[in-house]
Amino acid sequence: MMKRASLVSVERKADRLIVMNCNSSRRNALSPEYYEGLSQALDLADEEAEIRSVILMGEGGYFCAGGDLNTLVKRREMTISERKNNIEKLHNLARKVRSCAKPVIAAVDGGAAGAGVSLALACDFVVADRQAEFTLAYVKVGLAPDGGATASLSRLIPRQLLTEMCLLGQPVSAERLHQLGVVNVLSDKPALVEASLLVDRIAQGPTSAQASIKRLVAASDSNSFEAQMDLERDTMAEALGGDEAQEGINAFLERRMPEFD
């Protein structure tokens, strides 16, 4: 099943959704159509148990160039309140990616820039081709990062590298980010190939436990140590009474592979 609008396609392949940014003439810059298509795909993933993962990618060998400068140049005419509302649309999309109950994988070919980096970092996994570069060149057009770029990267890379990316607009290779643990998988093939293998592994796991783990990881960004401990206690206590834990523990004790629904 494939649903395609002019600038986005959502394809369902068995247990996964593949959301493609189809704005290749502008290096897959973000568009209202893409926002809507991705948002609807994430809703579908949350609603349907058979969908185990969501893969994000770009058409034509590039993940996403971020905001379209042809659109952003007109934002000067808006009030600051209107500008904030437009930026909040991007932020809400990043939040929705992070809060999706199913794992979301960014398949980054060629590279990502600006809010495209933010979108990739909002995902649970980043798979990138070996030649990909990640660029936050806002400073070169007199702008500042948005979409959660500094919020994510400040937790993932040294401060000096973050300022190099933001103050100089210096591209960073996928290989270097892989060494720092930001990129999960480097691929010598199109990123979708490795992303699909990753999804195959995810599909073998317990859905409810995966959703619980996502919630724990998301909460750890803002929780105090004690609050996170309490959340782990509550989540673990609930999991221990579930069917997934029964199957998983029994399979371990019986020295066989678990069969999760």
Side-chain angles (χ1 to χ4, degrees):
M1 181 272 290
M2 178 184 287
K3 179 180 179 182
R4 185 177 182 119
S6 58
L7 297 178
V8 62
S9 76
V10 179
E11 182 178 6
R12 183 167 181 172
K13 286 191 172 180
D15 59 0
R16 64 207 66 182
L17 292 177
I18 300 175
V19 183
M20 180 181 291
N21 191 332
C22 301
N23 195 10
S24 57
S25 65
R26 297 193 182 280
R27 290 212 310 170
N28 297 317
L30 296 171
S31 64
E33 292 91 340
Y34 181 75
Y35 281 31
E36 182 178 0
L38 176 53
S39 181
Q40 290 176 354
L42 295 170
D43 287 339
L44 184 61
D46 279 337
E47 292 164 5
E48 296 203 16
E50 294 80 8
I51 297 173
R52 301 300 307 273
S53 299
V54 181
I55 299 175
L56 310 188
M57 63 180 298
E59 185 179 56
Y62 196 82
F63 182 70
C64 177
D68 188 337
L69 293 181
N70 290 283
T71 301
L72 295 182
V73 71
K74 301 174 184 177
R75 299 282 168 86
R76 181 182 176 88
E77 302 164 7
M78 295 179 174
T79 66
I80 192 161
S81 178
E82 290 171 331
R83 290 179 216 150
K84 287 181 179 179
N85 286 338
N86 274 287
I87 296 166
E88 198 63 19
K89 294 175 183 177
L90 168 64
H91 287 192
N92 285 336
L93 189 65
R95 292 182 183 109
K96 195 164 187 175
V97 170
R98 287 171 63 93
S99 65
C100 180
K102 310 296 174 58
V104 183
I105 299 94
V108 180
D109 288 309
V117 176
S118 302
L119 184 61
L121 294 175
C123 296
D124 302 293
F125 297 92
V126 179
V127 177
D129 78 67
R130 196 172 293 275
Q131 286 71 44
E133 292 186 327
F134 293 75
T135 309
L136 295 175
Y138 294 86
V139 68
K140 293 186 177 181
V141 291
L143 296 174
D146 60 359
T150 57
S152 296
L153 284 171
S154 64
R155 295 175 170 86
L156 297 170
I157 65 175
R159 178 175 176 270
Q160 286 73 15
L161 180 55
L162 178 57
T163 54
E164 182 180 316
M165 290 183 72
C166 294
L167 290 178
L168 301 180
Q170 186 72 27
V172 177
S173 69
E175 189 160 3
R176 187 175 183 187
L177 291 179
H178 180 253
Q179 292 168 354
L180 291 167
V182 180
V183 170
N184 297 90
V185 182
L186 277 181
S187 179
D188 293 313
K189 303 174 182 178
L192 180 61
V193 175
E194 291 290 349
S196 296
L197 294 175
L198 183 56
V199 168
D200 290 340
R201 294 176 59 188
I202 291 168
Q204 296 171 12
T207 307
S208 295
Q210 290 169 346
S212 295
I213 291 166
K214 280 204 62 171
R215 288 193 295 270
L216 282 172
V217 172
S220 68
D221 281 346
S222 55
N223 269 350
S224 67
F225 181 80
E226 288 301 325
Q228 189 69 9
M229 291 276 280
D230 289 345
L231 184 58
E232 288 184 1
R233 176 200 63 207
D234 296 345
T235 304
M236 180 62 159
E238 184 175 350
L240 284 167
D243 293 340
E244 290 180 347
Q246 184 176 29
E247 167 60 14
I249 293 170
N250 286 343
F252 180 84
L253 296 175
E254 296 165 9
R255 297 185 179 182
R256 61 175 175 81
M257 291 298 294
E259 296 182 7
F260 299 112
D261 293 333

